[in-house]
Amino acid sequence: MKKIILAVAIAAALTGTASAQTVRLGTEGAYAPWNFIDDSGNVAGFEIDLGNELCARAELTCEFIINEWDTIIPNLVGGNYDAIIAGMSITDERKQTIDFTQDYYPPDPSLFAMAGDADIDFSNLSGIKIGVQGATIQAAYVEENFGANNTVLSYETADQSIADLSAGNVDVVLADGGYLSPIVEGSNGALKLDGPSIMIGGGVGLGLRKEDDELEAKLNAAIDAVKADGTLDGLIAKWFEVGPFYSN
Amino acid sequence: MPDWLTQLLGDDLSFGLSYITNGKHLAWYASFRFTIIAALAGALFALFFGLGGAALRQSRFAVLRSIGALYCNIVRGVPDVLFFLFFPLAFEQSVEWLMSTQACSAADLAANTGTWPPCTEANWFLGTSEYLALACVSLGIVYGAFTANVIHGAMQAVPKGQLEAARAFGMHPIQLLWRVHIRQMWIYALPGLSNVWMLLLKATSLLSLLQIADIVLWADRLGAPNYLKQVGLVHPDWRWRYYLVLFLFYILVTYLSERGFAVLRRKLGHGMIRVEG
């Protein structure tokens, strides 16, 4: 019995020291091309490349942890991981709970995607079904501006909203332009973008616990560095092709 | 994939074969273990809680009897999805509350009255294995209530003469319960138990509610349409194909269970008066 207790104590001590050095990055794994599960079953995408680059420059050992979008902020605050890197827009509302690094993706207008043959009057939206991912800036925006006259359907993942759009269960989906554009591009006319582009968020940054100032400073310095030498624009070009970029 | 196989199958088939054996699909196949573990461990817990509940309902003491009846009736009435969400969360927070009374300083407790947990030391990280264990216990509690009901009924069905004879031999009540009553109860309980097992099996599809990357979640992920070349194969909405595989899996398990229960019924029926056709 004593041996077991000792073994458990040693294991606890070991994992304790290991987690003190390793920075755990929480991501969703269902928001291509930002973060997704690739064909070999590993987490991949723009933010995985970027996260690894930032950690290399800040001389941190990092690992990725997959967490549902719904609970991604509470689980950061609870300590399940140390940073959120999941295409999260910097908003004042979120800043009340967590801190953000500077943005690593420029402010990105939200766009409407719909079926290729759809004809929707955006000057007077009423009686249509609008799909959004729950707990996003778009969800709050749609609820406030179109909630009264339309049906708002909120999905757990953005992928599910696109799947339902393809299946014809919703009329339009409102989401980040950087997420929708490549999807529409790749859909070969099955989907299209139409209507106004709406600026809601203020760029995308890493989310951090308020007390982790040291980590915030390290990551901010690393983001400065990848912005300055063009690495960041290179990654954006690799995953999003059309930008938006930091240099002009 | 070896060349001879590619030549044998042709390009389309070999592409299909290599697609359904890529890492993402292997992860899906591996996730079947969660469902199987949840079904088997859940059934064990359910049997345990069922026997306990039935024993309480048989008790000589009115208080214990009413606890047993309360358990059976309340838990049977609560939707399993709700209980599935409620129990793990309630358990996690109770543990964290206990930890917070030990680990958190008084200053932390006073400063963080609105947030949970009050300090990071009291945070209990639930990974897949913890959630799986809690899921098994939840399944056990919910279907234990049904099992308790079935076993209670089966114990009533054991002919009174058998028990009187055992008592006349001077058996202690515990001996009587264990050697005569429970032994003979199984044959009466079996049809009901096979029903409960089927219900439990179906409830294993709820695992993804607890952040477990189970067969349903993977089917969703794999079937979702993909329009991005850099993500992998570009394909439209394929979810129905993956759901169909899950249908077939559950039908296969149902068929195997039916066969298993038929064997059990034959075995347990040896030397017993035939109770039903």
Side-chain angles (χ1 to χ4, degrees):
Chain A
M1 195 62 196
K2 262 190 186 156
K3 264 187 193 159
I4 295 173
I5 294 172
L6 193 66
V8 169
I10 290 172
L14 284 177
T15 52
T17 47
S19 66
Q21 291 162 347
T22 309
V23 174
R24 295 158 302 165
L25 303 175
T27 193
E28 190 195 3
Y31 198 59
W34 297 76
N35 54 76
F36 58 91
I37 311 290
D38 67 9
D39 275 352
S40 47
N42 301 316
V43 62
F46 167 64
E47 288 176 314
I48 307 328
D49 286 356
L50 177 68
N52 287 330
E53 180 69 32
L54 293 180
C55 289
R57 294 196 185 219
E59 294 177 350
L60 302 165
T61 319
C62 292
E63 61 171 334
F64 286 92
I65 290 184
I66 292 180
N67 193 93
E68 282 180 346
W69 176 257
D70 262 7
T71 54
I72 207 161
I73 291 181
N75 282 346
L76 169 75
V77 175
N80 292 2
Y81 35 83
D82 307 306
I84 297 172
I85 180 161
M88 185 177 275
S89 295
I90 303 168
T91 65
D92 290 337
E93 198 193 347
R94 288 179 181 142
K95 274 188 192 165
Q96 292 175 359
T97 326
I98 57 175
D99 272 3
F100 282 98
T101 62
Q102 59 169 307
D103 56 273
Y104 57 79
Y105 190 87
D108 182 27
S110 300
L111 302 174
F112 286 100
M114 64 214 74
D117 55 1
D119 182 22
I120 289 161
D121 176 16
F122 280 94
S123 59
N124 179 26
L125 274 188
S126 68
I128 63 163
K129 286 184 230 149
I130 307 175
V132 288
Q133 185 181 12
T136 56
I137 51 176
Q138 288 86 11
Y141 179 86
V142 163
E143 200 57 65
E144 194 180 318
N145 293 284
F146 308 122
N149 301 324
N150 301 284
T151 314
V152 178
L153 289 129
S154 105
Y155 294 87
E156 257 179 65
T157 67
D159 277 1
Q160 287 171 353
S161 72
I162 296 299
D164 246 19
L165 180 65
S166 313
N169 297 336
V170 287
D171 299 311
V172 297
V173 162
L174 182 67
D176 291 335
Y179 170 76
L180 285 180
S181 302
I183 289 177
V184 169
E185 186 118 339
S187 74
N188 275 331
L191 302 176
K192 68 171 180 187
L193 296 170
D194 197 10
S197 63
I198 307 163
M199 201 56 131
I200 311 173
V204 173
L206 283 112
L208 299 161
R209 278 185 295 272
K210 286 195 174 239
E211 64 268 23
D212 283 350
D213 294 334
E214 193 188 334
L215 183 61
E216 191 176 337
K218 278 185 187 169
L219 288 172
N220 270 329
I223 295 174
D224 275 336
V226 292
K227 274 182 181 170
D229 67 6
T231 314
L232 184 53
D233 278 349
L235 284 177
I236 293 176
K238 175 183 170 193
W239 289 103
F240 298 97
E241 287 163 13
V242 290
F245 299 109
Y246 280 96
S247 63
N248 291 311
Chain B
M1 192 178 313
D3 281 343
W4 62 267
L5 196 60
T6 315
Q7 275 167 10
L8 191 73
L9 293 173
D11 279 349
D12 279 359
L13 263 182
S14 23
F15 174 77
L17 194 63
S18 65
Y19 182 66
I20 61 167
T21 51
N22 67 17
K24 204 150 73 161
H25 282 79
L26 291 182
W28 181 39
Y29 307 142
S31 71
F32 277 85
R33 73 184 185 278
F34 298 131
T35 306
I36 293 165
I37 290 173
L40 294 178
L44 265 182
F45 278 118
L47 209 53
F48 176 75
F49 283 113
L51 281 170
L56 284 178
R57 287 187 68 172
Q58 298 279 96
S59 167
R60 274 183 297 162
F61 304 104
V63 184
L64 294 183
R65 264 206 311 277
S66 50
I67 291 177
L70 224 66
Y71 166 60
C72 279
N73 293 324
I74 289 180
V75 177
R76 273 192 309 157
V78 175
D80 46 7
V81 180
L82 203 57
F83 200 82
F84 215 70
L85 292 170
F86 164 79
F87 175 74
L89 195 68
F91 188 78
E92 181 196 3
Q93 298 222 344
S94 322
V95 170
E96 286 180 339
W97 178 80
L98 272 178
M99 281 159 80
S100 75
T101 58
Q102 302 298 317
C104 296
S105 64
D108 274 340
L109 286 176
N112 301 321
T113 45
T115 54
W116 190 266
C119 67
T120 43
E121 289 82 19
N123 179 52
W124 180 29
F125 175 64
L126 291 179
T128 297
S129 37
E130 286 88 350
Y131 269 125
L132 190 60
L134 287 174
C136 293
V137 177
S138 311
L139 285 174
I141 295 175
V142 172
Y143 292 99
F146 289 92
T147 310
N149 214 38
V150 168
I151 290 178
H152 179 68
M155 288 179 91
Q156 306 282 326
V158 174
K160 293 280 173 288
Q162 298 275 348
L163 305 179
E164 274 164 26
R167 229 171 272 131
F169 271 110
M171 280 191 179
H172 189 267
I174 301 282
Q175 277 179 322
L176 177 133
L177 183 74
W178 198 242
R179 291 196 186 168
V180 181
H181 211 160
I182 290 184
R183 285 284 163 86
Q184 298 203 19
M185 163 277 284
W186 291 115
I187 189 69
Y188 301 99
L190 219 47
L193 289 182
S194 82
N195 244 340
V196 175
W197 163 251
M198 292 298 166
L199 291 175
L200 188 147
L201 207 60
K202 292 204 284 183
T204 55
S205 60
L206 301 175
L207 289 180
S208 62
L209 290 180
L210 294 179
Q211 299 220 20
I212 298 170
D214 75 332
I215 53 177
V216 180
L217 194 103
W218 274 107
D220 235 34
R221 268 189 200 161
L222 293 169
N226 174 38
Y227 298 121
L228 303 177
K229 280 195 304 292
Q230 61 268 46
V231 170
L233 180 73
V234 173
H235 64 79
D237 194 347
W238 277 357
R239 282 176 299 177
W240 65 271
R241 303 181 185 202
Y242 290 90
Y243 293 152
L244 200 64
V245 174
L246 297 189
F247 280 8
L248 293 177
F249 166 71
Y250 276 108
I251 290 171
L252 177 73
V253 176
T254 307
Y255 171 74
L256 291 178
S257 313
E258 280 296 322
R259 295 286 298 268
F261 272 104
V263 170
L264 265 182
R265 206 167 305 167
R266 239 190 350 265
K267 283 241 162 98
L268 290 176
H270 270 315
M272 300 273 296
I273 311 156
R274 284 181 71 84
V275 272
E276 15 71 86

